[in-house]
Amino acid sequence: MTIWFLITLCLSYLCLRVQSSAQSCCQTKAEGKELKRVLSEIELPPTSSKRDTPAIVNVSLHIETMRNIASEVTLDFYIIQKWQDARLALKLGGELNESILISGRGRPEPMWYPDTYFLLVHSLLYSHEEQSVELQPDNYIEHIRKVRLITPCTPNVLLFPFDFVNCTLQLSSFGFNVLDVSYQWDVVRTPNAVYVDPLNNDADHLGFQILPTKHLQYKCIYGPYEFSCLKAVVSLKRSFSIYLLQIYVPATLLVVLSWLTFWVNIKATPARASLSVTTVLSILTLATRSAAQNEKHVNGKVTSLDIYVYVCFIFVILAMLEFSLSDFVACNESSEPQKQLNGSAATYRLATFSRRFFKDGDHVNRIARVLLPVSFLAFNFVYWTVLTVAVWSQ
C-alpha cells in the first residue's frame, strides 16, 4: 500500500512539472509574439514631427575575409548598425532593464530598419541566417548582419608592383534623405570604425599587407535631395619581393650576361652568336610571361615593371647589334677593302664609313665594354630614384 502511494505521489509531481513547463513555454512564446507585434508597429524612422532631428544611425564594419584582390575584391563582413528609438519604451510600457537578443530569421518584421545600401558595388548578398537584433536599455536598437559583396579597387598601375591598392566601401540610405536619417561612424564600438580581422584574412596569402583603414562622413546629392553617406577605404600594400626575385633580378642578370660577348674572342663568331641569340630569347620569354601573369592586376596598362623589363630587352638587343657591328668591322679590317670581295657597292661604302670611327673589331668591343654598362647603371639609378620618390609620395 505504501509503494502504491509513493508511485501515485511521484506521478502527480511529474504531471504538475509538465503542466508548469508547458504553461511557461506558452507564456514565453506568447511574450515573444507580443514583443514582435509591438516592434512591428514601429515602421517609420524615429524622427521628430518638425523634421529637424533626423535618426542617427551609428555604423561600424567588421571585415572577416578579403579574396580575389585585383581590380576588385570580394569582402565578407558584418555591418553593425545602432540607433535610438524613443517609441520603443512607449510600445513596451517602459524602458528595458536588460538587453533582449533576437537572432537568426526571427527578427521582427516589418519593424523599421535603416534601408542601408552600398554604392558602386558589383555584387551584393545579404545573409538571412547570420543576423541579430538586440534591444538595449535607453531605447537603443542594434542590428548586426553579415554581408558579402564585390567592390572595385583602384591600384596605382604605373607604380606596379610597388603600389598601394585602395578598396572603397560607400553606403547611404536608399530612400530617406538627410532630414530623416543621418549616418555616423561608430568609433566608440570600433575605434577605427572599420576593423579588418588579421587572423581570418586571406590578404597576406594573396601578397598584400593590410594598412590602417580610412573613413569619412559626407553628404551625397541626388537631384534636389541630400543624403547622408559614409565612406571607408581599405588600403593594401602589395608585397613586391616576389617580383624582385622572379622578374627584376633575372632581367638584370640577362643584361649582364649579354655583355659577355664583348670579352669573347672576336674570331669566335659561333660562340658569340649563340650567346647573343640565347639572351634575346630569354629576355623575350621573361617579358611575355611577366605580361601574362600581371594582366589581371593592370588591365593592359603600362607599369613600372613593364618599363624595366623592356628597357632590359633593349639593352640585350643593343648587345646583339654590337656583336654584328664588331664582326662586320673585323671582316673588313684591310686598308683597301675590295668591292668585289664584299659582294655589293653598299657593303663597300658601309665598310669604308665604319673605318672612320673604329680601327678594328676589338675597338668596337672596347667601347661597348664601357658604354653599355655605364648606360645601364645610369638607367637603374634614374629608375629606382624616381620610383622611390613616387612610392613615398603615395
Coordinates of all heavy atoms in Angstrom, one line a residue, residues 145-219:
R145 N 24.4 42.2 -39.2 CA 24.1 41.4 -40.3 C 25.3 41.1 -41.1 O 26.1 42.0 -41.3 CB 23.0 42.0 -41.2 CG 22.3 41.0 -42.2 CD 21.2 41.7 -42.9 NE 20.4 40.7 -43.6 CZ 19.3 41.0 -44.3 NH1 18.8 42.2 -44.3 NH2 18.6 40.0 -44.9
K146 N 25.4 39.9 -41.6 CA 26.6 39.5 -42.5 C 26.3 39.9 -43.9 O 25.2 39.6 -44.4 CB 26.9 38.1 -42.3 CG 28.2 37.7 -43.0 CD 28.7 36.3 -42.7 CE 30.0 36.0 -43.3 NZ 30.5 34.6 -43.0
V147 N 27.3 40.4 -44.6 CA 27.2 40.9 -46.0 C 28.3 40.3 -46.8 O 29.5 40.3 -46.3 CB 27.1 42.4 -46.1 CG1 26.9 42.8 -47.5 CG2 26.0 43.0 -45.2
R148 N 28.1 39.9 -48.0 CA 29.1 39.6 -49.0 C 28.9 40.4 -50.2 O 27.9 40.5 -50.8 CB 29.1 38.1 -49.3 CG 30.1 37.8 -50.5 CD 30.1 36.3 -50.8 NE 30.6 35.5 -49.7 CZ 30.7 34.2 -49.7 NH1 30.2 33.5 -50.7 NH2 31.2 33.6 -48.7
L149 N 30.0 41.1 -50.6 CA 29.9 42.0 -51.8 C 31.2 42.0 -52.5 O 32.3 41.7 -52.0 CB 29.4 43.4 -51.4 CG 30.2 44.3 -50.4 CD1 31.5 44.8 -51.0 CD2 29.4 45.4 -49.9
I150 N 31.1 42.5 -53.8 CA 32.3 42.7 -54.6 C 32.4 44.2 -54.9 O 31.5 44.7 -55.5 CB 32.2 41.9 -55.9 CG1 32.1 40.4 -55.6 CG2 33.4 42.2 -56.8 CD1 32.0 39.5 -56.8
T151 N 33.4 44.8 -54.5 CA 33.6 46.3 -54.6 C 34.8 46.6 -55.4 O 35.8 45.8 -55.4 CB 33.6 46.9 -53.3 OG1 33.6 48.4 -53.4 CG2 34.9 46.5 -52.5
P152 N 34.9 47.6 -56.2 CA 36.0 48.0 -57.0 C 37.2 48.4 -56.2 O 37.1 49.0 -55.1 CB 35.6 49.1 -57.9 CG 34.4 49.7 -57.2 CD 33.8 48.6 -56.4
C153 N 38.4 48.1 -56.7 CA 39.7 48.6 -56.1 C 40.4 49.4 -57.1 O 40.3 49.2 -58.3 CB 40.5 47.4 -55.6 SG 39.8 46.4 -54.3
T154 N 41.2 50.4 -56.6 CA 42.0 51.3 -57.5 C 43.5 51.2 -57.2 O 43.9 51.9 -56.3 CB 41.5 52.7 -57.4 OG1 41.6 53.1 -56.0 CG2 40.0 52.9 -57.8
P155 N 44.2 50.3 -57.9 CA 45.6 50.3 -57.7 C 46.3 51.4 -58.6 O 45.7 51.9 -59.5 CB 46.0 48.9 -58.3 CG 45.0 48.6 -59.3 CD 43.7 49.3 -58.8
N156 N 47.5 51.8 -58.1 CA 48.2 52.8 -58.9 C 49.1 52.0 -59.9 O 50.2 51.5 -59.6 CB 49.2 53.6 -58.0 CG 49.8 54.8 -58.7 OD1 49.9 54.8 -59.9 ND2 50.2 55.8 -57.9
V157 N 48.5 51.8 -61.1 CA 49.0 50.9 -62.1 C 50.4 51.2 -62.5 O 51.3 50.4 -62.7 CB 48.1 50.8 -63.3 CG1 48.7 49.9 -64.3 CG2 46.7 50.3 -62.9
L158 N 50.7 52.5 -62.6 CA 52.0 52.9 -63.1 C 53.1 52.5 -62.2 O 54.3 52.2 -62.6 CB 52.1 54.5 -63.3 CG 53.3 55.0 -63.9 CD1 53.6 54.4 -65.3 CD2 53.2 56.6 -64.0
L159 N 52.8 52.4 -60.9 CA 53.9 52.1 -59.9 C 53.9 50.6 -59.6 O 54.6 50.1 -58.7 CB 53.6 52.8 -58.6 CG 53.7 54.3 -58.6 CD1 53.5 54.9 -57.3 CD2 55.1 54.8 -59.2
F160 N 53.1 49.8 -60.2 CA 53.0 48.3 -60.0 C 54.4 47.7 -60.3 O 55.1 48.1 -61.3 CB 52.0 47.7 -61.0 CG 51.9 46.2 -60.9 CD1 51.1 45.6 -60.0 CD2 52.7 45.4 -61.7 CE1 51.0 44.2 -59.9 CE2 52.7 44.0 -61.7 CZ 51.8 43.4 -60.8
P161 N 54.9 46.9 -59.4 CA 54.3 46.2 -58.2 C 54.6 46.9 -56.9 O 54.6 46.2 -55.9 CB 54.9 44.8 -58.3 CG 56.3 45.1 -58.7 CD 56.2 46.2 -59.7
F162 N 55.0 48.2 -56.9 CA 55.3 48.9 -55.7 C 54.1 49.8 -55.2 O 54.4 50.8 -54.5 CB 56.6 49.7 -55.9 CG 57.7 48.9 -56.3 CD1 58.1 48.8 -57.6 CD2 58.5 48.2 -55.4 CE1 59.2 48.0 -58.0 CE2 59.6 47.4 -55.8 CZ 59.9 47.3 -57.1
D163 N 52.9 49.5 -55.7 CA 51.8 50.4 -55.5 C 51.0 50.0 -54.2 O 51.3 49.0 -53.6 CB 50.9 50.4 -56.7 CG 50.4 49.0 -57.0 OD1 51.1 48.0 -56.7 OD2 49.2 48.8 -57.5
F164 N 50.0 50.9 -53.9 CA 49.1 50.6 -52.9 C 47.7 50.4 -53.5 O 47.4 51.2 -54.5 CB 49.0 51.8 -51.9 CG 50.3 51.9 -51.1 CD1 51.3 52.7 -51.6 CD2 50.4 51.4 -49.8 CE1 52.5 52.8 -50.8 CE2 51.5 51.5 -49.1 CZ 52.6 52.2 -49.6
V165 N 46.9 49.5 -53.1 CA 45.6 49.2 -53.6 C 44.6 49.7 -52.6 O 44.6 49.4 -51.4 CB 45.4 47.7 -53.8 CG1 44.0 47.4 -54.4 CG2 46.5 47.2 -54.8
N166 N 43.7 50.6 -53.1 CA 42.6 51.2 -52.2 C 41.3 50.6 -52.6 O 40.8 50.8 -53.8 CB 42.6 52.7 -52.3 CG 43.9 53.3 -51.8 OD1 44.4 52.9 -50.8 ND2 44.4 54.3 -52.5
C167 N 40.6 49.9 -51.7 CA 39.3 49.3 -51.9 C 38.3 50.1 -51.2 O 38.5 50.3 -49.9 CB 39.3 47.8 -51.5 SG 40.5 46.8 -52.4
T168 N 37.3 50.6 -51.8 CA 36.4 51.6 -51.3 C 35.0 51.0 -51.0 O 34.5 50.3 -51.8 CB 36.2 52.8 -52.2 OG1 37.5 53.4 -52.5 CG2 35.3 53.9 -51.6
L169 N 34.5 51.3 -49.8 CA 33.1 51.0 -49.4 C 32.3 52.3 -49.2 O 32.8 53.1 -48.3 CB 33.1 50.1 -48.2 CG 33.5 48.6 -48.4 CD1 33.6 47.9 -47.0 CD2 32.4 47.9 -49.2
Q170 N 31.2 52.5 -49.9 CA 30.4 53.6 -49.7 C 29.0 53.2 -49.4 O 28.4 52.3 -50.1 CB 30.4 54.5 -50.9 CG 31.8 55.0 -51.3 CD 31.7 55.9 -52.6 OE1 31.3 57.0 -52.5 NE2 32.2 55.3 -53.7
L171 N 28.4 53.7 -48.4 CA 27.0 53.4 -48.0 C 26.2 54.6 -47.7 O 26.7 55.6 -47.3 CB 27.0 52.4 -46.8 CG 27.7 52.8 -45.5 CD1 26.7 53.5 -44.6 CD2 28.3 51.6 -44.8
S172 N 24.9 54.4 -47.9 CA 23.9 55.5 -47.7 C 22.5 54.9 -47.5 O 22.3 53.8 -47.7 CB 24.0 56.5 -48.8 OG 23.0 57.5 -48.7
S173 N 21.6 55.8 -47.1 CA 20.2 55.4 -47.1 C 19.6 55.4 -48.5 O 19.9 56.3 -49.3 CB 19.4 56.3 -46.2 OG 18.0 56.0 -46.2
F174 N 18.8 54.4 -48.8 CA 18.2 54.3 -50.1 C 17.1 55.3 -50.4 O 17.0 56.0 -51.4 CB 17.7 52.9 -50.4 CG 17.3 52.7 -51.8 CD1 18.1 52.5 -52.9 CD2 15.9 52.8 -52.1 CE1 17.7 52.3 -54.2 CE2 15.4 52.6 -53.4 CZ 16.3 52.4 -54.4
G175 N 16.2 55.5 -49.4 CA 15.0 56.3 -49.6 C 14.9 57.5 -48.7 O 14.2 58.4 -49.0
F176 N 15.6 57.5 -47.5 CA 15.5 58.6 -46.6 C 16.6 59.6 -46.7 O 17.8 59.3 -46.7 CB 15.5 58.1 -45.1 CG 14.3 57.2 -44.9 CD1 14.5 55.8 -44.8 CD2 13.0 57.7 -44.6 CE1 13.4 55.0 -44.6 CE2 11.9 56.9 -44.4 CZ 12.1 55.5 -44.4
N177 N 16.3 60.9 -46.9 CA 17.3 61.9 -47.1 C 17.9 62.3 -45.8 O 17.5 61.8 -44.7 CB 16.7 63.1 -47.9 CG 15.6 63.7 -47.2 OD1 15.5 63.9 -46.0 ND2 14.6 64.2 -48.0
V178 N 18.7 63.3 -45.8 CA 19.5 63.7 -44.6 C 18.6 64.3 -43.5 O 18.9 64.4 -42.4 CB 20.6 64.7 -45.0 CG1 20.0 66.1 -45.4 CG2 21.6 64.9 -43.9
L179 N 17.4 64.7 -43.9 CA 16.4 65.2 -42.9 C 15.8 64.1 -42.1 O 15.3 64.4 -41.0 CB 15.3 66.1 -43.6 CG 15.8 67.3 -44.4 CD1 14.6 67.9 -45.0 CD2 16.5 68.3 -43.4
D180 N 15.8 62.9 -42.6 CA 15.2 61.8 -41.9 C 16.2 60.9 -41.2 O 16.0 60.4 -40.1 CB 14.4 60.9 -42.9 CG 13.2 61.7 -43.4 OD1 12.6 62.4 -42.6 OD2 12.9 61.6 -44.6
V181 N 17.3 60.6 -41.9 CA 18.3 59.6 -41.4 C 19.7 60.2 -41.6 O 20.0 60.7 -42.7 CB 18.2 58.2 -42.1 CG1 19.3 57.3 -41.6 CG2 16.8 57.6 -41.8
S182 N 20.5 60.2 -40.6 CA 21.9 60.6 -40.7 C 22.8 59.5 -40.2 O 22.6 58.9 -39.2 CB 22.1 61.9 -39.8 OG 23.5 62.3 -39.8
Y183 N 23.8 59.2 -41.1 CA 24.8 58.1 -40.8 C 26.0 58.7 -40.1 O 26.5 59.7 -40.6 CB 25.1 57.3 -42.0 CG 24.0 56.4 -42.5 CD1 23.0 56.8 -43.3 CD2 24.0 55.1 -42.1 CE1 22.0 56.0 -43.8 CE2 23.0 54.2 -42.5 CZ 22.1 54.6 -43.4 OH 21.1 53.8 -43.8
Q184 N 26.5 58.0 -39.1 CA 27.8 58.3 -38.5 C 28.6 57.0 -38.3 O 28.0 56.0 -38.0 CB 27.5 59.0 -37.2 CG 26.9 60.4 -37.3 CD 26.7 61.0 -35.9 OE1 27.0 60.5 -34.9 NE2 26.1 62.2 -35.9
W185 N 29.9 57.2 -38.3 CA 30.8 56.1 -38.0 C 30.8 55.9 -36.5 O 30.9 56.8 -35.7 CB 32.2 56.3 -38.5 CG 32.3 56.1 -40.0 CD1 32.6 57.1 -40.9 CD2 32.2 54.9 -40.7 NE1 32.7 56.6 -42.1 CE2 32.4 55.3 -42.1 CE3 31.9 53.6 -40.4 CZ2 32.3 54.3 -43.1 CZ3 31.8 52.7 -41.4 CH2 32.0 53.0 -42.7
D186 N 30.6 54.6 -36.0 CA 30.6 54.3 -34.6 C 32.1 54.0 -34.2 O 32.5 52.9 -34.1 CB 29.7 53.1 -34.4 CG 29.5 52.9 -32.9 OD1 30.1 53.6 -32.1 OD2 28.6 52.0 -32.6
V187 N 32.8 55.1 -33.8 CA 34.1 55.0 -33.3 C 34.2 54.6 -31.9 O 35.3 54.3 -31.3 CB 34.9 56.3 -33.6 CG1 35.1 56.6 -35.0 CG2 34.2 57.5 -32.8
V188 N 33.0 54.5 -31.2 CA 33.0 54.1 -29.8 C 33.1 52.5 -29.7 O 33.9 52.0 -29.0 CB 31.8 54.6 -29.1 CG1 31.7 54.0 -27.7 CG2 31.7 56.1 -29.1
R189 N 32.3 51.9 -30.5 CA 32.3 50.4 -30.6 C 33.6 49.9 -31.3 O 34.3 49.0 -30.8 CB 31.1 49.9 -31.3 CG 31.1 48.4 -31.4 CD 29.9 47.9 -32.3 NE 29.9 46.5 -32.4 CZ 29.2 45.7 -31.7 NH1 28.3 46.2 -30.8 NH2 29.2 44.4 -31.8
T190 N 33.9 50.5 -32.4 CA 35.1 50.1 -33.2 C 36.0 51.4 -33.3 O 35.6 52.3 -34.0 CB 34.8 49.6 -34.6 OG1 33.8 48.5 -34.4 CG2 36.0 49.1 -35.3
P191 N 37.2 51.4 -32.7 CA 38.0 52.7 -32.7 C 38.2 53.3 -34.1 O 38.2 54.5 -34.2 CB 39.2 52.3 -32.0 CG 38.8 51.1 -31.1 CD 37.8 50.4 -31.9
N192 N 38.5 52.4 -35.0 CA 38.8 52.9 -36.4 C 37.6 52.8 -37.3 O 37.7 52.9 -38.5 CB 40.0 52.1 -37.0 CG 40.7 53.0 -38.1 OD1 40.6 54.2 -38.0 ND2 41.2 52.3 -39.0
A193 N 36.4 52.5 -36.7 CA 35.1 52.4 -37.5 C 35.1 51.1 -38.3 O 34.0 50.5 -38.5 CB 34.9 53.6 -38.3
V194 N 36.2 50.7 -38.9 CA 36.3 49.6 -39.8 C 37.4 48.7 -39.3 O 38.6 49.1 -39.2 CB 36.5 49.9 -41.3 CG1 36.6 48.7 -42.1 CG2 35.5 50.9 -41.8
Y195 N 37.0 47.5 -38.9 CA 38.0 46.5 -38.3 C 38.2 45.4 -39.3 O 37.3 44.8 -39.8 CB 37.5 45.9 -37.0 CG 38.4 44.8 -36.5 CD1 39.7 45.2 -35.9 CD2 38.1 43.5 -36.5 CE1 40.5 44.2 -35.4 CE2 38.9 42.5 -36.0 CZ 40.1 42.9 -35.4 OH 40.9 41.9 -35.0
V196 N 39.5 45.2 -39.7 CA 39.9 44.1 -40.6 C 40.5 43.0 -39.8 O 41.6 43.2 -39.2 CB 40.8 44.6 -41.7 CG1 41.1 43.5 -42.7 CG2 40.2 45.8 -42.5
D197 N 39.9 41.8 -39.7 CA 40.4 40.7 -38.9 C 41.7 40.2 -39.6 O 41.7 39.7 -40.7 CB 39.4 39.6 -38.9 CG 39.7 38.6 -37.8 OD1 40.9 38.5 -37.4 OD2 38.8 37.9 -37.3
P198 N 42.9 40.3 -38.9 CA 44.1 39.8 -39.5 C 44.3 38.3 -39.4 O 45.1 37.7 -40.2 CB 45.2 40.5 -38.6 CG 44.5 40.6 -37.3 CD 43.1 40.9 -37.6
L199 N 43.5 37.6 -38.6 CA 43.6 36.1 -38.4 C 42.9 35.4 -39.5 O 43.4 34.4 -40.1 CB 43.1 35.7 -37.1 CG 43.9 36.3 -35.9 CD1 43.3 35.8 -34.6 CD2 45.4 35.9 -36.0
N200 N 41.6 35.8 -39.8 CA 40.8 35.1 -40.8 C 40.9 35.8 -42.1 O 39.9 35.6 -42.9 CB 39.3 35.1 -40.3 CG 39.2 34.4 -39.0 OD1 39.9 33.5 -38.7 ND2 38.2 34.8 -38.2
N201 N 42.0 36.4 -42.4 CA 42.1 37.2 -43.7 C 43.0 36.5 -44.7 O 44.0 36.0 -44.2 CB 42.5 38.6 -43.4 CG 41.8 39.6 -44.4 OD1 42.1 39.6 -45.5 ND2 40.9 40.4 -43.8
D202 N 42.7 36.6 -45.9 CA 43.5 35.9 -47.0 C 44.4 36.9 -47.7 O 45.1 36.6 -48.6 CB 42.6 35.3 -48.0 CG 41.8 34.1 -47.5 OD1 42.3 33.6 -46.5 OD2 40.7 33.8 -48.0
A203 N 44.4 38.2 -47.2 CA 45.2 39.2 -47.9 C 46.7 38.9 -47.9 O 47.4 39.1 -48.9 CB 45.0 40.6 -47.2
D204 N 47.2 38.4 -46.8 CA 48.6 38.0 -46.7 C 49.0 36.9 -47.6 O 50.0 36.9 -48.3 CB 48.9 37.6 -45.2 CG 50.4 37.4 -45.1 OD1 51.2 38.3 -45.3 OD2 50.8 36.2 -44.7
H205 N 48.1 35.9 -47.8 CA 48.4 34.8 -48.7 C 48.3 35.3 -50.2 O 48.9 34.7 -51.1 CB 47.3 33.7 -48.5 CG 47.3 33.2 -47.1 ND1 48.4 32.4 -46.6 CD2 46.4 33.3 -46.1 CE1 48.1 32.1 -45.3 NE2 46.9 32.6 -45.0
L206 N 47.6 36.4 -50.5 CA 47.5 36.9 -51.8 C 48.6 37.9 -52.1 O 48.6 38.5 -53.2 CB 46.1 37.6 -52.0 CG 44.9 36.6 -51.9 CD1 43.6 37.4 -52.0 CD2 44.9 35.5 -53.0
G207 N 49.5 38.1 -51.2 CA 50.6 39.0 -51.4 C 50.3 40.5 -51.1 O 50.9 41.4 -51.8
F208 N 49.5 40.7 -50.0 CA 49.2 42.1 -49.7 C 49.4 42.3 -48.1 O 49.2 41.3 -47.4 CB 47.8 42.5 -50.0 CG 47.5 42.6 -51.5 CD1 47.1 41.5 -52.3 CD2 47.7 43.8 -52.2 CE1 46.9 41.6 -53.6 CE2 47.5 43.9 -53.5 CZ 47.1 42.8 -54.3
Q209 N 49.7 43.5 -47.8 CA 49.8 43.8 -46.4 C 48.7 44.8 -46.0 O 48.6 45.8 -46.8 CB 51.2 44.5 -46.0 CG 51.3 44.9 -44.6 CD 52.6 45.6 -44.4 OE1 53.5 45.7 -45.3 NE2 52.8 46.2 -43.2
I210 N 47.9 44.6 -45.0 CA 46.8 45.4 -44.7 C 47.3 46.6 -43.9 O 48.0 46.5 -42.9 CB 45.8 44.7 -43.8 CG1 45.3 43.4 -44.6 CG2 44.6 45.5 -43.5 CD1 44.4 42.5 -43.8
L211 N 46.9 47.8 -44.4 CA 47.2 49.1 -43.8 C 46.0 49.6 -43.0 O 44.9 49.2 -43.2 CB 47.7 50.1 -44.8 CG 48.9 49.7 -45.7 CD1 49.2 50.8 -46.7 CD2 50.1 49.4 -44.8
P212 N 46.2 50.6 -42.1 CA 45.1 51.2 -41.4 C 44.0 51.8 -42.3 O 44.4 52.4 -43.3 CB 45.7 52.3 -40.5 CG 47.1 51.8 -40.3 CD 47.5 51.1 -41.6
T213 N 42.8 51.5 -42.0 CA 41.7 52.0 -42.9 C 41.4 53.5 -42.7 O 41.7 54.0 -41.6 CB 40.4 51.2 -42.6 OG1 40.1 51.3 -41.3 CG2 40.6 49.7 -43.0
K214 N 40.8 54.1 -43.7 CA 40.4 55.5 -43.6 C 38.9 55.6 -43.7 O 38.3 54.8 -44.4 CB 41.1 56.3 -44.7 CG 42.6 56.3 -44.7 CD 43.2 57.0 -45.9 CE 44.7 56.9 -45.9 NZ 45.3 57.6 -47.1
H215 N 38.3 56.5 -43.0 CA 36.9 56.6 -43.1 C 36.5 58.1 -43.0 O 37.2 58.9 -42.4 CB 36.2 55.8 -41.9 CG 36.6 56.3 -40.5 ND1 37.7 55.9 -39.9 CD2 36.0 57.2 -39.7 CE1 37.8 56.5 -38.7 NE2 36.8 57.3 -38.6
L216 N 35.4 58.4 -43.6 CA 34.9 59.8 -43.6 C 33.4 59.8 -43.8 O 32.8 58.8 -44.2 CB 35.6 60.6 -44.7 CG 35.4 60.2 -46.1 CD1 34.3 60.8 -46.8 CD2 36.7 60.5 -46.9
Q217 N 32.8 60.9 -43.4 CA 31.4 61.1 -43.5 C 31.1 62.4 -44.4 O 31.7 63.4 -44.2 CB 30.8 61.3 -42.1 CG 29.3 61.6 -42.1 CD 28.8 61.9 -40.6 OE1 29.5 61.6 -39.7 NE2 27.6 62.4 -40.5
Y218 N 30.2 62.2 -45.3 CA 29.9 63.4 -46.2 C 28.4 63.3 -46.7 O 27.7 62.3 -46.3 CB 30.8 63.3 -47.4 CG 30.7 62.1 -48.3 CD1 30.0 62.2 -49.5 CD2 31.3 60.9 -47.9 CE1 29.9 61.1 -50.3 CE2 31.2 59.8 -48.7 CZ 30.5 59.9 -49.9 OH 30.4 58.8 -50.7
K219 N 28.0 64.2 -47.5 CA 26.7 64.3 -48.0 C 26.7 64.0 -49.5 O 27.5 64.6 -50.2 CB 26.0 65.6 -47.7 CG 25.8 65.9 -46.2 CD 25.1 67.2 -46.0 CE 24.8 67.4 -44.5 NZ 24.2 68.7 -44.2

